[in-house]
Short mmCIF file of all heavy atoms in Angstrom, two decimals:
data_model
loop_
_atom_site.label_atom_id
_atom_site.label_comp_id
_atom_site.label_asym_id
_atom_site.label_seq_id
_atom_site.Cartn_x
_atom_site.Cartn_y
_atom_site.Cartn_z
N SER B 226 214.83 92.42 28.48
CA SER B 226 214.90 91.07 28.11
C SER B 226 213.88 90.79 26.99
O SER B 226 213.04 91.71 26.66
CB SER B 226 214.62 90.13 29.29
OG SER B 226 213.29 90.44 29.79
N THR B 227 213.84 89.63 26.30
CA THR B 227 212.90 89.26 25.33
C THR B 227 212.17 87.96 25.69
O THR B 227 212.86 87.00 26.08
CB THR B 227 213.58 89.02 23.94
OG1 THR B 227 214.20 90.36 23.64
CG2 THR B 227 212.62 88.64 22.78
N PRO B 228 210.83 87.90 25.73
CA PRO B 228 209.88 88.96 25.30
C PRO B 228 209.65 90.01 26.30
O PRO B 228 208.94 90.93 26.06
CB PRO B 228 208.65 88.16 24.98
CG PRO B 228 208.65 87.03 25.97
CD PRO B 228 210.14 86.62 26.11
N GLY B 229 210.22 89.83 27.50
CA GLY B 229 210.13 90.84 28.48
C GLY B 229 208.72 91.12 29.02
O GLY B 229 207.94 90.20 29.10
N VAL B 230 208.42 92.42 29.21
CA VAL B 230 207.14 92.72 29.78
C VAL B 230 206.00 92.60 28.64
O VAL B 230 204.80 92.63 29.02
CB VAL B 230 207.00 94.23 30.21
CG1 VAL B 230 207.93 94.37 31.44
CG2 VAL B 230 207.45 95.15 29.20
N TRP B 231 206.31 92.30 27.41
CA TRP B 231 205.35 92.25 26.32
C TRP B 231 204.70 90.85 26.27
O TRP B 231 203.62 90.72 26.10
CB TRP B 231 206.07 92.60 24.99
CG TRP B 231 205.00 93.02 23.94
CD1 TRP B 231 203.74 93.07 23.98
CD2 TRP B 231 205.39 93.59 22.66
NE1 TRP B 231 203.17 93.59 22.85
CE2 TRP B 231 204.15 93.96 22.01
CE3 TRP B 231 206.63 93.88 21.97
CZ2 TRP B 231 204.15 94.47 20.76
CZ3 TRP B 231 206.50 94.44 20.65
CH2 TRP B 231 205.29 94.75 20.05
N GLY B 232 205.60 89.83 26.47
CA GLY B 232 205.07 88.39 26.28
C GLY B 232 205.21 87.97 24.82
O GLY B 232 205.16 88.82 23.97
N TRP B 233 205.36 86.67 24.70
CA TRP B 233 205.59 86.19 23.28
C TRP B 233 204.34 86.39 22.35
O TRP B 233 204.59 86.74 21.15
CB TRP B 233 205.87 84.63 23.36
CG TRP B 233 207.22 84.26 23.84
CD1 TRP B 233 207.60 83.66 25.01
CD2 TRP B 233 208.46 84.65 23.24
NE1 TRP B 233 208.99 83.53 25.12
CE2 TRP B 233 209.51 84.14 24.01
CE3 TRP B 233 208.84 85.31 22.04
CZ2 TRP B 233 210.88 84.28 23.70
CZ3 TRP B 233 210.19 85.41 21.72
CH2 TRP B 233 211.18 84.91 22.54
N GLY B 234 203.14 86.20 22.90
CA GLY B 234 202.02 86.38 22.00
C GLY B 234 201.96 87.74 21.35
O GLY B 234 201.82 87.85 20.11
N GLY B 235 202.13 88.82 22.20
CA GLY B 235 202.00 90.15 21.61
C GLY B 235 203.16 90.43 20.74
O GLY B 235 203.06 91.01 19.57
N LEU B 236 204.41 90.06 21.14
CA LEU B 236 205.61 90.40 20.35
C LEU B 236 205.56 89.66 19.01
O LEU B 236 205.69 90.38 17.93
CB LEU B 236 206.82 89.98 21.11
CG LEU B 236 208.22 90.10 20.44
CD1 LEU B 236 208.51 91.55 20.00
CD2 LEU B 236 209.40 89.59 21.29
N VAL B 237 205.26 88.41 19.05
CA VAL B 237 205.32 87.60 17.72
C VAL B 237 204.21 88.14 16.83
O VAL B 237 204.47 88.29 15.62
CB VAL B 237 205.31 86.06 18.00
CG1 VAL B 237 205.12 85.33 16.70
CG2 VAL B 237 206.53 85.59 18.73
N SER B 238 203.01 88.20 17.30
CA SER B 238 201.95 88.58 16.41
C SER B 238 202.08 90.06 15.83
O SER B 238 201.89 90.20 14.60
CB SER B 238 200.58 88.36 17.00
OG SER B 238 200.32 89.17 18.15
N PHE B 239 202.52 90.97 16.73
CA PHE B 239 202.73 92.27 16.16
C PHE B 239 203.86 92.29 15.10
O PHE B 239 203.80 92.93 14.01
CB PHE B 239 203.05 93.26 17.33
CG PHE B 239 203.14 94.71 16.81
CD1 PHE B 239 201.97 95.37 16.37
CD2 PHE B 239 204.33 95.36 16.61
CE1 PHE B 239 202.06 96.67 15.95
CE2 PHE B 239 204.45 96.70 16.12
CZ PHE B 239 203.26 97.35 15.86
N ALA B 240 204.93 91.62 15.43
CA ALA B 240 206.10 91.59 14.49
C ALA B 240 205.74 90.95 13.14
O ALA B 240 206.16 91.42 12.16
CB ALA B 240 207.27 90.83 15.15
N LEU B 241 204.95 89.98 13.14
CA LEU B 241 204.51 89.29 11.94
C LEU B 241 203.51 90.17 11.06
O LEU B 241 203.69 90.24 9.93
CB LEU B 241 203.75 87.96 12.17
CG LEU B 241 204.65 86.76 12.55
CD1 LEU B 241 203.87 85.48 12.84
CD2 LEU B 241 205.58 86.45 11.32
#
Side-chain angles (χ1 to χ4, degrees):
Chain B
S226 58
T227 299
V230 293
W231 204 352
W233 285 115
L236 174 60
V237 172
S238 59
F239 185 75
L241 279 176

